[in-house]
Amino acid sequence: IVQYEVEATILGEMGEPMVGERKECQKIIRLKSLNVNTDIASLAQKVVEECRLIHPSKLPEVEQLLFYLQNCRKPGNDKQEKHSSRDFISFEGMELDQEANINSIDDYVELLYEEIPEKVKGATLILHLARNSGNLKDLMQNSTNNLLRSLSFIQSITYGLFSPPITSFSQFHMLVTHYKVGALCMNIIEHELMKYDLWQDELQKKKQNQNAKKEHEKALRKYQGLLTKQEQLLQVGLYLLLNLAEDTWTELKMRNKNIVQTLVKTLERQDEELLLVVVTFLKKLSVFMENKNDMAETNAVMKLARLLSSDHKDLLNNTLRLLLNLSFDTGIRSQMVQAGLIPKLSSLLADESQRQLCMCILYHISMDDRFKSMFAYTDCIPQLMKMLFVCGESHTDKKLISFCINLAANKKNAQVICEGNGLKMLMNRGLKPKDVFFMKMIRNLSQHDGPTKSLFIDYVGDLAAQVVGEEKEDYVIECLGTLANLTIPDLDWDLVLKEYNLVPYLKDHLKPGSAEDDLILEMVILIGTVSTDDSCAVTMAKSGIIPTLIDLLNVQQQDDEFVCQIIYVFYQMVFHQATRDVIIKETDVPAYLIDLMHDQNAEIRKVCHNTLDIIAEHDAAWWGRVQSEKFRWHNSQWLEMVEGRAVADDGDPFGYGDDGDPLAYIDDGDPFTRYGNILERPDLFYSAGTIIPVNGTISPEVFTDYLNGDVGQAGGFPDR
């Protein structure tokens, strides 16, 4: 390519320049005779002589450029380019008996207008040129329109000889899209998949025909040959679409043409190179929710599961990446479990190159409580425990420990983790380097009843020492939470409280604002745990911790978790005579409990009722008040109706008057007609001379009259 400038000047009458203009130009010199055997010096001399634009002094530079062109166009140099794993090998029918030369591109394009054999040859030669990225610029500049028209035609008749390397460069995408090569490719793929189904049906029919065994074998051989060619075509076509899908709008058009369903169906094939393109395409599509939903509907996970046993590393890696993208969806995680992915992914943890991907997918599955127990029946947990202790104290893999924290929340998994020296090794990592993540895992292990919880008795002192020490707050929270989980009958909590001086620590830090809410909450839970012991409950009551809890209840009354845990402490304390007397006689706890009897939170109501029942059972004064409050709340609607009407104006004791109310007051001396058409009320009915609500509850006065034998006597009808 010769760059030069043309300068035009208009001269005046005396020869002086009047007007001048300068323009940059270039001239392309095509060296059709250049090949590996060309004499560079002679060719350079010829170029300089025939091109007047090149000064003879530029001869050495021309020789240098020709030498470069000669070497970069050598056929062997094409192999030096590094291609990705998705580059394609030569397909059947693409062999050449001559070397493709970029200088002959015009001749190759002309072949595309000849008969079928010449068309195939021309397209194959162009394809070989396109595989060398150094030729692509020349391909664009040379008869591009005709080239694309021909290639789109050739693709439909020559098993996709349109070259995917061309579409690897975005400069070609506009031209490919303009001539609707992508749409044509989609049609070809759909047609081939339909042919595949027909082949399968035909083959199945011949197999069922016992008299056509030879025909079946012959058809099977033919089928295998056709299948190989078809998979080559699908591989090229899908790779072309994958490159075009770089444009989001183009990708959307593909989705509208059901590209996801097409790809999922193609997952049934056996060719690993084809499957690699399909999985890579699905992985790209899976980042959009609509495509992810399509994959869920077509049950793509079931077809991907078999690929996890593949020896093709790139195919396995891309399959895992696709599954990772899909694993963020709860429904698809269920499909993964049904497809048996937990044991398959667990076995892949041994492969260091795939470990992180497998661990991330398994972590997502472990987030669902329904599937946690399934890990106990695989070799996943032993491998994770081994990895935990191999990484050393200085570095903790956050993904690994997070996965283990999830698994430890299940009872069966906890038993597997604690087998042998498992718990001892975890406690060493949690206590010595004071690793908060290991302590989170230990805390989850401590919540399970049974033999696992009993193993923690040996570590109660170590955990208590961490609480009173000057440790980081998030670490202390986990230690407190672990201690609070240890509801072990054989554990002497009174000794622990005294030996580690925990009572003053708890009382000081329980004051509102003295610490973070999370820390205070864990201390409240711990107090509830130790209060199951009679001596500990007395110690807590004498320390003045109950008023502190009441103050905390007032401050945190909007936090249901705080309220529920504080009430639970009172519930545990009223079981013991000494603390029960303190709560009833010296505090306002029962009054607070009555106020909370009707809280919107069901758990709070349940704990309040249970606590008040115990208080009422041991104190007659509170029994009447508790029963009255329960009655008042249970019959509140009925009482509000009656009490509201009793204060009506105009001397009408029930406020009905003569306004047409079906419950109009009628006083004819008969107590049973005093209320008019009261039977029309669906929520009230007559029974044994009294008015009883539908739910069967009665007022205390009616109950007393019944015991005295006054119900049903003349004039004995109760005022209510």
Side-chain angles (χ1 to χ4, degrees):
I1 300 176
V2 182
Q3 308 287 348
Y4 63 96
E5 292 182 353
V6 176
E7 183 177 342
T9 306
I10 299 177
L11 303 178
E13 294 180 357
M14 305 299 296
E16 73 279 7
M18 298 291 293
V19 180
E21 183 180 357
R22 179 174 296 182
K23 181 180 179 182
E24 294 184 354
C25 303
Q26 74 173 23
K27 177 180 176 60
I28 298 177
I29 302 175
R30 301 199 176 277
L31 306 171
K32 296 186 178 182
S33 61
L34 180 62
N35 55 52
V36 292
N37 300 317
T38 301
D39 184 352
I40 295 299
S42 301
L43 182 58
Q45 184 66 40
K46 184 178 180 182
V47 168
V48 172
E49 290 175 355
E50 294 186 2
C51 182
R52 296 165 52 194
L53 298 172
I54 302 176
H55 193 271
S57 63
K58 297 287 186 179
L59 181 62
E61 188 175 342
V62 173
E63 289 184 5
Q64 183 65 30
L65 290 172
L66 292 175
F67 178 77
Y68 169 77
L69 290 173
Q70 184 184 46
N71 283 275
C72 76
R73 299 299 172 91
K74 286 182 179 179
N77 284 6
D78 294 353
K79 299 179 182 179
Q80 296 175 3
E81 295 189 11
K82 294 183 179 180
H83 298 285
S84 68
S85 60
R86 294 179 294 177
D87 283 347
F88 294 83
I89 59 174
S90 294
F91 296 152
E92 184 179 346
M94 292 171 54
E95 299 83 3
L96 289 173
D97 56 0
Q98 70 181 86
E99 179 185 340
N101 192 317
I102 189 63
N103 297 312
S104 303
I105 182 63
D106 292 334
D107 297 334
Y108 303 156
V109 171
E110 291 298 325
L111 289 174
L112 300 177
Y113 296 95
E114 303 298 331
E115 298 300 323
I116 294 298
E118 286 76 18
K119 289 178 184 288
V120 175
K121 181 178 180 181
T124 305
L125 288 164
I126 295 172
L127 176 60
H128 278 261
L129 291 177
R131 287 187 168 182
N132 183 353
S133 58
N135 294 329
L136 293 180
K137 187 174 181 180
D138 290 335
L139 287 173
M140 284 194 68
Q141 293 177 347
N142 193 310
S143 303
T144 305
N145 288 353
N146 290 333
L147 177 63
L148 266 292
R149 287 179 186 274
S150 302
L151 286 178
S152 62
F153 170 70
I154 288 299
Q155 187 179 22
S156 64
I157 60 173
T158 60
Y159 279 89
L161 287 176
F162 183 81
S163 172
I166 288 181
T167 56
S168 298
F169 294 85
S170 57
Q171 293 93 328
F172 282 91
H173 289 186
M174 184 181 298
L175 295 169
V176 172
T177 303
H178 177 71
Y179 290 104
K180 299 183 179 180
V181 175
L184 176 61
C185 190
M186 284 283 294
N187 293 334
I188 293 171
I189 292 171
E190 291 174 3
H191 176 69
E192 292 300 320
L193 291 177
M194 290 177 60
K195 285 169 57 179
Y196 175 77
D197 293 336
L198 293 173
W199 293 345
Q200 292 279 52
D201 293 340
E202 182 181 352
L203 199 63
Q204 190 65 25
K205 289 179 181 178
K206 290 185 178 180
K207 184 178 180 180
Q208 293 175 353
N209 188 352
Q210 300 294 334
N211 300 324
K213 187 175 180 180
K214 291 184 178 180
E215 291 185 12
H216 174 258
E217 294 177 354
K218 182 179 179 181
L220 183 61
R221 288 193 297 269
K222 179 182 178 182
Y223 166 77
Q224 293 295 341
L226 293 172
L227 187 63
T228 301
K229 292 182 178 180
Q230 189 186 68
E231 288 181 344
Q232 292 172 355
L233 169 61
L234 293 175
Q235 182 183 353
V236 177
L238 291 174
Y239 187 32
L240 181 151
L241 294 175
L242 174 60
N243 289 331
L244 294 180
E246 290 180 2
D247 179 69
T248 308
W249 286 107
T250 303
E251 183 178 311
L252 180 59
K253 292 179 182 178
M254 293 181 189
R255 182 187 177 276
N256 293 335
K257 289 183 173 290
N258 300 320
I259 184 65
V260 174
Q261 289 81 349
T262 300
L263 291 169
V264 172
K265 187 175 182 180
T266 313
L267 285 173
E268 300 171 357
R269 301 303 182 100
Q270 301 299 320
D271 185 83
E272 290 184 333
E273 294 300 326
L274 170 60
L275 290 172
L276 177 59
V277 177
V278 173
V279 172
T280 304
F281 205 162
L282 285 171
K283 176 169 66 72
K284 182 183 186 305
L285 295 171
S286 65
V287 299
F288 290 97
M289 183 177 66
E290 295 83 359
N291 296 329
K292 180 263 298 178
N293 293 339
D294 288 346
M295 294 177 202
E297 292 175 2
T298 53
N299 210 5
V301 171
M302 294 296 294
K303 297 180 180 180
L304 290 169
R306 72 179 182 89
L307 303 182
L308 295 180
S309 57
S310 173
D311 295 329
H312 195 297
K313 288 188 176 181
D314 290 331
L315 176 59
L316 177 59
N317 186 267
N318 278 275
T319 301
L320 290 172
R321 292 181 183 277
L322 170 57
L323 289 171
L324 177 58
N325 286 356
L326 297 176
S327 66
F328 287 90
D329 184 272
T330 306
I332 295 181
R333 289 203 294 268
S334 298
Q335 294 181 6
M336 290 181 179
V337 174
Q338 293 172 5
L341 257 61
I342 291 180
K344 291 181 179 180
L345 293 170
S346 298
S347 63
L348 287 172
L349 290 172
D351 186 349
E352 192 171 350
S353 61
Q354 314 294 352
R355 180 177 298 163
Q356 289 297 321
L357 288 171
C358 293
M359 195 180 302
C360 290
I361 300 170
L362 290 171
Y363 170 76
H364 286 165
I365 295 175
S366 71
M367 292 167 60
D368 196 318
D369 291 336
R370 295 175 298 167
F371 310 135
K372 283 186 172 72
S373 61
M374 297 183 181
F375 289 88
Y377 304 103
T378 68
D379 62 342
C380 179
I381 294 176
Q383 291 190 72
L384 295 177
M385 293 295 288
K386 183 178 179 180
M387 285 185 273
L388 269 181
F389 300 115
V390 166
C391 61
E393 297 181 0
S394 59
H395 173 71
T396 302
D397 188 336
K398 296 298 188 295
K399 296 187 183 70
L400 174 60
I401 190 63
S402 299
F403 185 20
C404 292
I405 290 170
N406 277 1
L407 294 180
N410 177 266
K411 186 174 182 178
K412 291 182 180 179
N413 294 337
Q415 292 174 355
V416 177
I417 291 171
C418 294
E419 286 178 353
N421 294 324
L423 181 59
K424 181 180 179 180
M425 298 174 71
L426 286 172
M427 292 300 297
N428 289 337
R429 286 293 300 271
L431 294 172
K432 290 183 180 178
K434 305 189 188 307
D435 193 311
V436 67
F437 291 102
F438 273 85
M439 193 54 66
K440 285 179 182 289
M441 182 178 176
I442 292 168
R443 178 181 176 180
N444 279 357
L445 293 172
S446 67
Q447 69 182 325
H448 306 295
D449 295 326
T452 302
K453 187 170 288 190
S454 301
L455 298 173
F456 282 85
I457 292 181
D458 297 334
Y459 305 103
V460 172
D462 295 325
L463 292 168
Q466 305 300 319
V467 171
V468 296
E470 298 296 329
E471 304 298 342
K472 292 183 178 179
E473 194 169 90
D474 55 348
Y475 181 74
V476 174
I477 288 173
E478 302 305 326
C479 294
L480 280 169
T482 305
L483 287 171
N485 286 333
L486 302 182
T487 52
I488 307 172
D490 298 333
L491 181 56
D492 189 349
W493 276 113
D494 189 48
L495 179 62
V496 175
L497 293 178
K498 292 177 180 177
E499 184 174 347
Y500 294 96
N501 202 26
L502 282 174
V503 176
Y505 172 86
L506 294 174
K507 185 178 179 182
D508 292 341
H509 288 78
L510 273 178
K511 297 175 182 177
S514 61
E516 292 292 331
D517 287 350
D518 290 341
L519 181 61
I520 296 175
L521 179 61
E522 295 303 329
M523 287 190 286
V524 173
I525 298 173
L526 177 59
I527 293 171
T529 299
V530 302
S531 295
T532 57
D533 183 274
D534 187 59
S535 56
C536 288
V538 173
T539 302
M540 290 292 178
K542 290 182 178 179
S543 69
I545 213 166
I546 296 177
T548 306
L549 288 173
I550 294 175
D551 293 339
L552 186 61
L553 182 61
N554 288 326
V555 173
Q556 300 288 352
Q557 57 184 321
Q558 300 300 323
D559 190 321
D560 285 355
E561 181 68 16
F562 258 104
V563 173
C564 192
Q565 294 298 341
I566 293 172
I567 295 173
Y568 180 75
V569 173
F570 298 150
Y571 171 73
Q572 290 294 344
M573 287 187 172
V574 297
F575 273 105
H576 314 291
Q577 178 65 43
T579 50
R580 183 168 56 245
D581 292 342
V582 172
I583 286 176
I584 294 174
K585 298 176 182 179
E586 300 179 15
T587 71
D588 297 327
V589 169
Y592 279 96
L593 294 175
I594 287 177
D595 289 340
L596 292 168
M597 280 176 62
H598 317 304
D599 192 90
Q600 293 182 351
N601 188 291
E603 288 299 320
I604 293 176
R605 294 198 305 270
K606 181 180 177 181
V607 179
C608 278
H609 278 277
N610 292 339
T611 309
L612 286 170
D613 287 344
I614 298 173
I615 292 174
E617 183 181 347
H618 293 86
D619 189 280
W622 278 108
W623 180 88
R625 186 172 175 183
V626 170
Q627 295 304 316
S628 177
E629 177 61 25
K630 286 186 177 181
F631 166 77
R632 188 195 67 78
W633 176 259
H634 200 62
N635 298 276
S636 58
Q637 185 178 6
W638 185 75
L639 291 172
E640 287 173 6
M641 178 193 73
V642 176
E643 290 172 357
R645 289 166 179 168
V647 296
D649 296 332
D650 301 328
D652 187 350
F654 290 92
Y656 297 138
D658 296 323
D659 56 358
D661 192 314
L663 292 179
Y665 179 77
I666 303 172
D667 190 3
D668 58 357
D670 186 352
F672 291 97
T673 61
R674 186 175 296 169
Y675 292 95
N677 298 324
I678 199 168
L679 283 174
E680 293 183 16
R681 283 293 304 271
D683 55 338
L684 301 172
F685 65 94
Y686 286 108
S687 177
T690 64
I691 299 178
I692 301 179
V694 172
N695 58 17
T697 58
I698 59 176
S699 67
E701 293 86 349
V702 173
F703 184 72
T704 304
D705 292 343
Y706 176 78
L707 293 177
N708 295 333
D710 296 334
V711 176
Q713 302 295 326
F717 192 87
D719 292 337
R720 294 185 180 181

